Amino acid sequence: MAETYRVAKLPIRMRGFVDPDTNAQFEGYVEPGTYFVLEERPGPAGSDSDYARLEVPTLGALDTWVCVRWRTQQYATLASQEKPPPAVRLSFSDEPMAVPEEKLVSLLGGMSEFRYDLDQAYYPWTLPGIRVPLGPPSFNNCCTFVEALTVRAFADVHGDSFSWDARRHRQMMIASSEDLFSPVTAAVESDMALLAPSPDVSPHPWTLIQGWRAPWRSGHTFLIVDHHPATDKVLVLESNSAYGLDGVGFRGIGNLRDKGLQPPSEWWKKPEVWTWRQVCATYLHRQQAWLKVKNRSWSRLSPTEP
């Protein structure tokens, strides 16, 4: 029998509370979207209301209570949902445009000293077809990190058969308001990646994600190196100034300049490492592209890891 969990779909922005009671301490606002339900409970006696405790990683408390019904007014829809199966682990061994994983890992060495700065963003090397500001200083942001790593790897491996230009660069920088997920679009259209079957499917090794906490607010571009289905943990590689990072590194683990280039043994057992469920609950609006990377072993998971 398939494993299920409860979700709440919020069509409007709602207030979150410490306890299942609108008179309880206010914790913050919960944006419209779909959230995982941790607990369901009726409201105080005589209130004729129902509450749900939602997983909301964007709040300091990580979870909060919302009123989903008062009398005949339904504020949110609660439903059971099947846990998605693990993503099929494509090898890309016969894919002409694939790059070996070791190429990406070798390039990371040139980015390990970079620190995060949203407004001061530099590149460690040139990129084909465009002019980019070169460091030092060694600062980058989430978009420039992903572009520098992926584009340099595919250009080095495939030469003139790989094309990059100013339009693709603008997509990676999300320079237009017409495409909420333009870094994913750029990766797919340049043949670096396949578009994932859906935003919710379990991530494939070396997945590029563009996520937003709300449309055009609090966006982030990052990579998921691998997903451990049994624990739902994801090895997130990014440039960030949060989650134990001040630059390029693994979320919940630390900066590459401090921890080295090799992911920790059994990283999926570390409590600070995020789950895919946490990623989905944080970036309510997201899209993913599966990068064409072959000969994978860096994450320490086998191609058939359960």
Side-chain angles (χ1 to χ4, degrees):
M1 185 176 180
E3 184 179 349
T4 62
Y5 51 82
R6 297 282 282 172
V7 296
K9 297 182 180 180
L10 278 57
I12 58 174
R13 193 187 197 205
M14 297 184 66
R15 293 170 65 89
F17 302 93
V18 172
D19 296 308
D21 185 347
T22 54
N23 292 316
Q25 179 182 336
F26 170 66
E27 285 195 298
Y29 286 102
V30 184
E31 299 294 335
T34 300
Y35 295 86
F36 297 99
V37 176
L38 303 175
E39 187 178 353
E40 297 174 54
R41 191 185 299 179
S47 65
D48 193 15
S49 59
D50 294 320
Y51 288 77
R53 184 165 64 93
L54 308 183
E55 185 177 66
V56 188
T58 53
L59 294 180
L62 304 183
D63 62 80
T64 195
W65 288 94
V66 298
C67 179
V68 297
R69 182 192 64 83
W70 179 65
R71 296 182 178 174
T72 60
Q73 184 68 46
Q74 194 76 30
Y75 299 111
T77 302
L78 273 64
S80 296
Q81 187 168 301
E82 287 191 4
K83 181 180 179 181
V88 176
R89 298 176 71 90
L90 304 174
S91 71
F92 291 122
S93 59
D94 298 324
E95 167 57 48
M97 281 301 295
V99 298
E101 184 182 65
E102 61 183 17
K103 179 61 183 179
L104 290 159
V105 175
S106 67
L107 288 172
L108 277 174
M111 309 182 78
S112 62
E113 297 298 321
F114 273 66
R115 296 176 182 270
Y116 181 88
D117 191 305
L118 178 61
D119 301 314
Q120 289 192 84
Y122 298 88
Y123 290 73
W125 41 65
T126 60
L127 295 180
I130 60 174
R131 295 184 65 181
V132 294
L134 298 178
S138 297
F139 296 115
N140 66 10
N141 58 36
C142 63
C143 295
T144 56
F145 163 67
V146 172
E147 183 186 28
L149 179 64
T150 58
V151 173
R152 186 73 267 166
F154 278 82
D156 284 353
V157 172
H158 297 293
D160 293 340
S161 62
F162 174 75
S163 176
W164 197 254
D165 55 28
R167 185 170 73 89
R168 296 276 183 251
H169 173 65
R170 289 193 296 271
Q171 288 176 311
M172 290 296 290
M173 298 299 106
I174 320 178
S176 169
S177 61
E178 295 180 358
D179 186 356
L180 194 64
F181 308 109
S182 56
V184 168
T185 303
V188 172
E189 290 184 350
S190 64
D191 210 17
M192 290 195 295
L194 299 176
L195 184 65
S198 83
D200 304 320
V201 69
S202 299
H204 190 270
W206 288 98
T207 289
L208 187 160
I209 293 183
Q210 175 60 44
W212 299 87
R213 297 187 179 188
W216 300 113
R217 287 201 299 115
S218 299
H220 190 46
T221 310
F222 57 100
L223 300 170
I224 289 181
V225 176
D226 217 336
H227 175 232
H228 188 260
T231 61
D232 197 38
K233 296 279 188 170
V234 284
L235 186 61
V236 176
L237 178 64
E238 61 189 332
S239 181
N240 210 333
S241 59
Y243 315 121
L245 298 176
D246 175 26
V248 177
F250 299 112
R251 180 173 300 197
I253 295 173
N255 301 304
L256 296 185
R257 65 178 179 270
D258 303 320
K259 302 294 184 177
L261 293 180
Q262 183 63 50
S265 177
E266 298 187 327
W267 50 265
W268 52 90
K269 293 184 179 180
K270 293 184 174 294
E272 299 84 3
V273 171
W274 277 37
T275 63
W276 173 238
R277 180 166 145 167
Q278 282 178 282
V279 170
C280 294
T282 299
Y283 306 102
L284 299 173
H285 308 271
R286 62 192 177 277
Q287 188 56 271
Q288 51 173 306
W290 296 352
L291 293 172
K292 297 176 180 179
V293 179
K294 60 184 178 180
N295 305 333
R296 303 182 301 263
S297 61
W298 193 47
S299 73
R300 303 176 187 265
L301 292 181
S302 71
T304 58
E305 183 74 28

